Amino acid sequence: MMSPQNISEESQINEKVFRLVSYGLAALMMVCLALTMGSLVIRLIPTWQSWGIAILSFFISLERLYTHKQFRYYPFLNLERFLSFLTRWTIVLILVKLVVGLSHGLAYFLEQIPLWQKEFLGAFIDAELVIGMFIVAASWMLSGSFAALLNEMSIRQPMLEASPDGQIKPIRIQLLDLILISCAFLVFVTSLTRIDLRAMLTESKLIILNLPPLAGGGTSTLFYFMFGLTLLSQTHFVNLHTHWSLENIPVSGNLSRDWAIYSIAFLLGLILIVSLLPTNYSLGLLGVLGAILDAIFKIIFYIAQGIMLVMVMIIGLTLQLLTSGQAQQESMPQTVTPPVITNPTEFVFPPWWPLVKSVFFWFSFTVLVIFAVAWYIKQHQEILEALRKLPVWQAALKFWAWLRNTSARVRDGLSKTVQDSRKRLRAQLSNAQYTLRSRLLNFRELTPRRKVFFFYLALIRRSEETGLERRSSQTPYEYAATLDKAFPVVGEDIDSLTEAFIDARYSRREIGSEDVSLVKRYWNKIRQALHRKP
Amino acid sequence: MSGFYLPFLIIILVIAALLRDDFALTLIYLFLGAFLLGTWWSRKSLHQIEHTREMNQRAFYGEAIQVRQRFRNTGWLPVVWMSIRDKLPVELGVPSTFKYIISLGSYEKKDFHYTLYARKRGYYTIGPLSLSTSDILGFNEPIEVHGQEQNLTVYPKIIPFSSLEIPSRSPQGTLRHTQPIFEDPTRILGKREYVAGDSLRSVDWKATAVTGNLQVKLFEPSIALETMAFLNLNSDDYPSRHQIDSIELAIVIAASLANWVIGKKQTFGIRINGTDPFTANETSQTIPPRKGQAHLIRILETLARIQKTEKSSLNKLIQEQRYHLGWGTTLLVITGQVTDELIDELYQARRSGQNVVMILAGPVANVDDIRNRAEHFGISTVAIQNERAMDTWRL
């Protein structure tokens, strides 16, 4: 690998451009931060003007970003550092006062100036100044964190990433963490702007204001996030570019320009897609989640109270024993159940419309959550490994195996049952078809041997109808003897028919039509005798 | 991606739930959307890249091979950045990898050219080409696709000979025969007046035009004989200090002889005790004697790929092959070491009516002693220490 000294002049120019752009983006993010925090302040102080402090935050952030490297190497307890810190914050204080004061108009500001002489602390340091200083300080500190990371992200970055011990977290990941954490904070602030803070502070009531999604700091928070993504794109580019430079890989001349164009296109596309996705048709999802969280917090609170009570009792008793004093009683704090706020609907939708939206929402949301969790686990195999070692996991695996085996057994049993049923059904159907066929058989088409069978079977059937049922154990001869006793008149014919049947059934002799006509004659006589029987 | 992203989503969701704020969902969509859109873009764009590598797959030693790489984006989605890495053999006078970073717009194509130098005989693999990219925000690890490999055969160096002063009864293949069985049309003895029965093919039309009478060419009676080379690539038969150079020299000698003999329109075959990655036989490679340029290329390709071996001895190779060769065949034995068994085997070949020439490649100890012993058995010996020693035969 090349040494950092070998970095080309082009790369150094690129790095300067990157620094300029990334500092600009970070400063813009601080503007958004100031605006979001300002939206919250407006809830408490309606006369608050956010833009003045936001612009001031921009310049102070820029100053911080550019001078961070300079102050970084000063020792912590250094006079020069202390003096510069003091002077800087004095100037910031004056600027904040100027901006806050001028936000109410020049005349008002000029009226206030004489008051500083009378009572400096009371007149100069008012609530607006404190809030303004707080916002500026937050911007200053956050931009300092950005500056620390962005200054590291240059030639050293690939080396840091390549550290064999893996102790150093890559700078880009640290940057992403910082953006996400600060963004989460801004979401919290934005959410607070949607609550009636006055009612909450004075009456301890949670009243949620019905604001449009982008009002009350929503726009600035979204812009903060978008600027953050742009910064990530820039840092990704410079990171790659540094790698390529170190590896001496030639880079296409227009790549920087293309990257910038595609980044913008990407972010615009992202905004377009997100704007099409549903956000406010959760059918009370957040309410349900909020209620669950409230319940959890309440349980934790009661448990803590219980523990505290026991502890207080123990301590009180101990003190009573030692000092004979009175036991102190703790009063239970009262919990306030937030009222259920119902948002009035402005338009009347068809009854199926919310259902469609909620299905769409739930689908999108579930897919996203599942994807996020799956991806997280995929990227953190160590979590999976740790989970696998847990007894609960083992038990879950065993349960899963049992479930699979059971379901497999049930499935096999079911399929076997179904197959058996199908076989039975098929057999029944074939029997039915056979019976149907036998019922509909054409006597003329039968072979002479079959015709003899036919007459014998007719004899059995008709005899059974007269009450002389043939037992399964009876041979044809035994059955013939039974019939002979019942019909002695045609006994000879019965014997002849039986003989003819046995001959046709068990011999290989060719049965001719004359045999059939003979058997038919026997049968006719027998049939008449059977008819005659009362 | 940051390890904080899942906690971030949970935090936002908790905040949204506690404060009953739907706005947070927009941010979750933005964050996950950035991730998903970026992943989709990078994967889709990379898979719509079409790549072609155009180059000659065969080259003679010393040639410069122009390679053209073409990358075409076949889709509307642009490729933000793409790293191109093509593995190249360092033996061909280039860095081990051709690297470049490009971006490709919709349906855009880009060409790259570089040159490979055939500096060493061999069978080389060019590629595989690997293309990689990542999402524009760098949330994911770079993804990579691999292209096809291509092969390049660099033929061994050929030294063009003007004449080959190898002492032999048969000057490389064509031996004048006392019995006029065949007439060699390349060897014109003289001309005479046409008599009835002469073939019209033998009429010399130019001489007929000059003299005004039909003249026919008289050809020398001849018979074409084969040349069979035996190339010893058994590494034990070469001095370890000069093993690589001597083996390469032996291959150059074999290639040059093949070129010269086939250039004279004679048959040439070769048997080598080496390994060819293209064949299943690991001990020996045999190309039977044939004529023509196609046959020469076949020999050169085998010589380009052939590698030394430690398993096969030359004596066995000659013993197996010489019974299949006809009377008068010239045996060219290229080796780095001569043993008594080899001389005995070659003597038996000579007794069978085959002409034997032994070529010693590289620095061989006791050359004079070997030459004397070989001459005692009627075997011609040529010692070629290095390529310069062949200069006397050059064109």
Side-chain angles (χ1 to χ4, degrees):
Chain A
M1 189 183 272
M2 282 182 67
S3 65
Q5 285 76 20
N6 293 343
I7 298 296
S8 65
E9 194 179 336
E10 188 201 355
S11 296
Q12 287 174 4
I13 294 166
N14 278 336
E15 203 172 315
K16 279 181 187 171
V17 174
F18 157 72
R19 213 161 287 286
L20 192 73
V21 173
S22 57
Y23 284 176
L25 286 167
L28 285 170
M29 286 168 80
M30 294 311 116
V31 171
C32 296
L33 176 91
L35 286 172
T36 304
M37 290 174 80
S39 302
L40 182 65
V41 177
I42 289 170
R43 297 281 163 223
L44 298 167
I45 308 167
T47 55
W48 176 262
Q49 300 290 324
S50 299
W51 274 104
I53 290 295
I55 292 165
L56 189 62
S57 294
F58 177 79
F59 289 110
I60 286 172
S61 302
L62 269 186
E63 187 269 343
R64 173 71 167 147
L65 287 159
Y66 273 100
T67 56
H68 179 268
K69 209 185 275 182
Q70 183 189 336
F71 287 100
R72 190 181 159 188
Y73 301 107
Y74 280 127
F76 186 69
L77 293 170
N78 178 275
L79 183 65
E80 198 177 346
R81 185 190 175 110
F82 177 72
L83 284 175
S84 69
F85 181 84
L86 203 66
T87 50
R88 175 190 286 175
W89 280 102
T90 309
I91 294 165
V92 169
L93 186 72
I94 293 163
L95 286 172
V96 170
K97 183 66 188 172
L98 206 63
V99 168
V100 169
L102 287 173
S103 67
H104 298 294
L106 183 63
Y108 175 79
F109 183 62
L110 291 174
E111 278 174 18
Q112 290 290 311
I113 292 171
L115 297 175
W116 299 352
Q117 288 179 329
K118 292 176 184 171
E119 193 190 358
F120 181 76
L121 284 176
F124 189 84
I125 303 172
D126 55 4
E128 288 192 350
L129 178 71
V130 173
I131 291 167
M133 282 301 287
F134 176 75
I135 293 171
V136 168
S139 304
W140 188 81
M141 284 168 68
L142 194 57
S143 55
S145 302
F146 275 108
L149 293 174
L150 292 172
N151 289 336
E152 288 290 328
M153 192 169 288
S154 58
I155 295 161
R156 280 181 57 198
Q157 167 65 4
M159 295 173 188
L160 289 173
E161 281 187 1
S163 67
D165 54 1
Q167 293 295 314
I168 303 168
K169 210 172 177 181
I171 303 293
R172 281 198 74 255
I173 301 297
Q174 290 183 43
L175 187 72
L176 181 57
D177 284 350
L178 183 64
I179 292 170
L180 294 181
I181 291 165
S182 52
C183 201
F185 171 72
L186 288 188
V187 171
F188 177 70
V189 173
T190 310
S191 302
L192 286 180
T193 61
R194 283 134 207 276
I195 296 170
D196 191 341
L197 289 173
R198 283 172 185 279
M200 201 168 105
L201 293 173
T202 56
E203 301 166 30
S204 298
K205 282 183 182 174
L206 182 67
I207 299 170
I208 295 165
L209 303 168
N210 190 17
L211 292 177
L214 296 180
T219 312
S220 50
T221 304
L222 280 181
F223 268 100
Y224 181 89
F225 193 68
M226 295 310 288
F227 285 135
L229 289 181
T230 315
L231 186 62
L232 279 175
S233 169
Q234 286 300 307
T235 54
H236 185 43
F237 176 68
V238 81
N239 198 22
L240 287 171
H241 208 283
T242 312
H243 273 287
W244 300 331
S245 298
L246 288 170
E247 285 186 50
N248 258 350
I249 305 177
V251 179
S252 175
N254 52 1
L255 188 69
S256 314
R257 188 203 62 193
D258 290 350
W259 189 287
I261 293 167
Y262 296 144
S263 294
I264 293 164
F266 175 83
L267 293 173
L268 289 175
L270 184 64
I271 291 167
L272 184 72
I273 291 166
V274 169
S275 65
L276 296 174
L277 287 169
T279 53
N280 55 350
Y281 295 102
S282 56
L283 278 187
L285 163 79
L286 297 178
V288 172
L289 275 176
I292 292 166
L293 287 172
D294 282 346
I296 291 167
F297 288 145
K298 274 180 187 170
I299 290 164
I300 294 167
F301 180 70
Y302 287 135
I303 291 167
Q305 267 193 332
I307 293 165
M308 283 291 289
L309 190 67
V310 172
M311 282 178 70
V312 166
M313 278 175 71
I314 292 164
I315 292 164
L317 284 168
T318 315
L319 284 171
Q320 215 170 20
L321 285 169
L322 291 172
T323 60
S324 303
Q326 290 184 347
Q328 291 179 7
Q329 295 295 323
E330 291 281 326
S331 62
M332 292 287 184
Q334 296 294 314
T335 54
V336 179
T337 312
V340 179
I341 306 298
T342 51
N343 293 327
T345 48
E346 292 177 2
F347 303 105
V348 179
F349 292 103
W352 50 266
W353 184 238
L355 185 70
V356 170
K357 283 178 175 175
S358 69
V359 166
F360 184 48
F361 168 79
W362 276 105
F363 177 74
S364 314
F365 190 77
T366 314
V367 166
L368 286 177
V369 168
I370 289 169
F371 178 79
V373 172
W375 190 261
Y376 186 80
I377 290 171
K378 190 185 164 191
Q379 285 205 325
H380 294 80
Q381 287 293 321
E382 67 278 2
I383 292 174
L384 208 61
E385 292 298 322
L387 276 174
R388 279 176 186 153
K389 287 175 188 168
L390 287 176
V392 178
W393 181 271
Q394 297 296 333
L397 279 180
K398 279 180 188 168
F399 176 71
W400 175 244
W402 173 83
L403 206 64
R404 282 183 65 180
N405 290 337
T406 310
S407 66
R409 277 202 299 273
V410 168
R411 195 178 59 236
D412 290 348
L414 275 174
S415 63
K416 199 180 169 188
T417 311
V418 168
Q419 277 183 352
D420 289 348
S421 307
R422 283 176 66 185
K423 273 181 189 170
R424 276 202 300 275
L425 200 64
R426 207 173 287 155
Q428 281 174 3
L429 275 172
S430 67
N431 283 341
Q433 281 172 356
Y434 177 74
T435 315
L436 196 65
R437 267 206 305 272
S438 63
R439 278 177 192 165
L440 297 173
L441 62 82
N442 189 346
F443 182 78
R444 286 179 189 173
E445 286 179 1
L446 291 176
T447 59
R449 197 181 294 276
R450 288 276 170 196
K451 282 177 180 170
V452 174
F453 291 175
F454 175 81
F455 288 122
Y456 184 73
L457 289 171
L459 167 70
I460 291 170
R461 188 158 50 84
R462 288 291 176 88
S463 305
E464 282 174 354
E465 284 171 5
T466 57
L468 294 165
E469 201 165 325
R470 178 179 171 264
R471 293 193 301 277
S472 58
S473 59
Q474 278 184 311
T475 62
Y477 285 126
E478 286 167 351
Y479 188 56
T482 311
L483 291 178
D484 286 347
K485 283 177 191 171
F487 305 101
V489 184
V490 286
E492 208 168 310
D493 295 311
I494 289 167
D495 291 342
S496 301
L497 181 57
T498 306
E499 281 288 346
F501 167 70
I502 287 166
D503 192 30
R505 176 70 182 80
Y506 299 107
S507 78
R508 289 185 179 178
R509 192 175 70 81
E510 197 70 34
I511 305 294
S513 56
E514 61 277 9
D515 295 322
V516 175
S517 56
L518 203 62
V519 170
K520 191 178 177 184
R521 206 178 308 147
Y522 299 146
W523 166 241
N524 284 332
K525 284 182 187 173
I526 295 164
R527 194 177 59 179
Q528 285 168 10
L530 288 171
H531 270 297
R532 281 197 296 271
K533 195 186 177 213
Chain B
M1 198 200 269
S2 163
F4 189 70
Y5 90 95
L6 196 61
F8 166 73
L9 293 176
I10 293 166
I11 288 168
I12 289 191
L13 206 62
V14 168
I15 292 169
L18 285 174
L19 301 174
R20 314 291 198 275
D21 184 14
D22 286 332
F23 162 76
L25 295 177
T26 309
L27 219 60
I28 293 174
Y29 284 147
L30 260 181
F31 183 67
L32 289 177
F35 176 69
L36 292 173
L37 186 64
T39 308
W40 172 79
W41 187 339
S42 56
R43 283 178 194 277
K44 169 91 178 157
S45 62
L46 193 61
H47 286 103
Q48 65 193 20
I49 296 295
E50 195 179 84
H51 162 251
T52 49
R53 190 195 293 111
E54 287 174 15
M55 56 179 275
N56 282 332
Q57 290 191 281
R58 287 172 180 79
F60 284 98
Y61 180 87
E63 269 189 332
I65 307 125
Q66 297 295 327
V67 183
R68 191 186 78 168
Q69 300 256 28
R70 169 163 284 185
F71 300 92
R72 197 164 73 87
N73 185 358
T74 58
W76 59 271
L77 200 64
V79 182
V80 181
W81 72 273
M82 184 173 71
S83 163
I84 301 163
R85 284 167 192 265
D86 201 12
K87 277 193 178 176
L88 302 173
V90 284
E91 292 91 342
L92 300 180
V94 283
S96 61
T97 317
F98 169 77
K99 298 179 275 192
Y100 213 93
I101 307 292
I102 58 166
S103 73
L104 280 174
S106 307
Y107 302 103
E108 192 183 355
K109 64 182 174 185
K110 276 186 181 165
D111 287 354
F112 295 93
H113 299 269
Y114 56 85
T115 309
L116 303 173
Y117 299 96
R119 291 181 179 174
K120 192 170 182 281
R121 63 129 198 139
Y123 182 73
Y124 300 103
T125 302
I126 312 294
L129 178 94
S130 87
L131 304 174
S132 64
T133 188
S134 71
D135 61 298
I136 204 161
L137 298 175
F139 282 171
N140 286 309
E141 290 294 310
I143 51 166
E144 202 170 11
V145 292
H146 295 281
Q148 292 284 318
E149 291 178 350
Q150 272 181 297
N151 297 312
L152 172 67
T153 305
V154 175
Y155 299 135
K157 188 176 183 181
I158 297 170
I159 295 171
F161 297 148
S162 60
S163 64
L164 202 58
E165 292 174 4
I166 296 174
S168 170
R169 287 187 310 178
S170 164
Q172 299 309 303
T174 304
L175 185 73
R176 185 170 170 182
H177 204 267
T178 49
Q179 290 177 340
I181 302 169
F182 302 106
E183 283 184 339
D184 186 348
T186 62
R187 292 171 171 268
I188 299 168
L189 190 67
K191 293 179 183 67
R192 63 166 169 79
E193 289 278 335
Y194 173 81
V195 289
D198 280 344
S199 169
L200 275 177
R201 288 183 180 179
S202 61
V203 173
D204 187 341
W205 295 106
K206 281 183 184 172
T208 302
V210 170
T211 57
N213 296 315
L214 273 175
Q215 300 286 317
V216 289
K217 294 172 195 166
L218 292 175
F219 301 112
E220 279 186 3
S222 68
I223 184 166
L225 298 177
E226 295 172 346
T227 301
M228 187 74 190
F230 290 90
L231 176 58
N232 186 10
L233 292 189
N234 190 345
S235 55
D236 295 339
D237 290 341
Y238 289 87
S240 56
R241 272 183 66 188
H242 309 283
Q243 196 180 74
I244 295 169
D245 290 342
S246 298
I247 286 175
E248 288 302 315
L249 179 64
I251 292 168
V252 170
I253 293 168
S256 305
L257 284 171
N259 179 53
W260 190 76
V261 173
I262 292 174
K264 294 288 177 191
K265 301 190 190 316
Q266 304 302 309
T267 57
F268 187 90
I270 193 164
R271 190 151 200 221
I272 314 161
N273 57 344
T275 54
D276 182 353
F278 266 32
T279 57
N281 192 341
E282 289 187 1
T283 52
S284 70
Q285 317 304 325
T286 307
I287 301 173
R290 297 281 184 276
K291 286 181 183 177
Q293 285 301 308
H295 183 62
L296 174 65
I297 293 298
R298 193 180 158 204
I299 291 170
L300 291 178
E301 282 190 355
T302 303
L303 288 173
R305 295 191 301 262
I306 202 80
Q307 301 293 324
K308 66 181 180 181
T309 185
E310 291 170 356
K311 296 176 184 172
S312 175
S313 78
L314 185 65
N315 294 1
K316 198 180 162 194
L317 226 65
I318 297 171
Q319 199 176 37
E320 284 171 359
Q321 190 70 28
R322 72 180 176 83
Y323 295 109
H324 302 293
L325 299 170
W327 176 90
T329 302
T330 302
L331 306 187
L332 296 172
V333 180
I334 305 159
T335 181
Q337 181 67 46
V338 178
T339 59
D340 288 344
E341 288 79 18
L342 177 65
I343 289 180
D344 183 50
E345 193 61 46
L346 296 179
Y347 175 62
Q348 296 300 328
R350 184 165 167 73
R351 283 188 65 189
S352 310
Q354 291 161 340
N355 308 304
V356 180
V357 179
M358 198 160 62
I359 301 168
L360 302 174
V364 181
N366 305 322
V367 175
D368 290 336
D369 182 39
I370 291 168
R371 188 177 281 134
N372 290 336
R373 272 197 295 157
E375 278 178 6
H376 179 74
F377 291 101
I379 301 162
S380 305
T381 308
V382 179
I384 299 173
Q385 271 209 324
N386 48 41
E387 283 182 19
R388 230 175 297 157
M390 289 187 277
D391 280 353
T392 51
W393 299 336
R394 274 181 190 270
L395 270 174

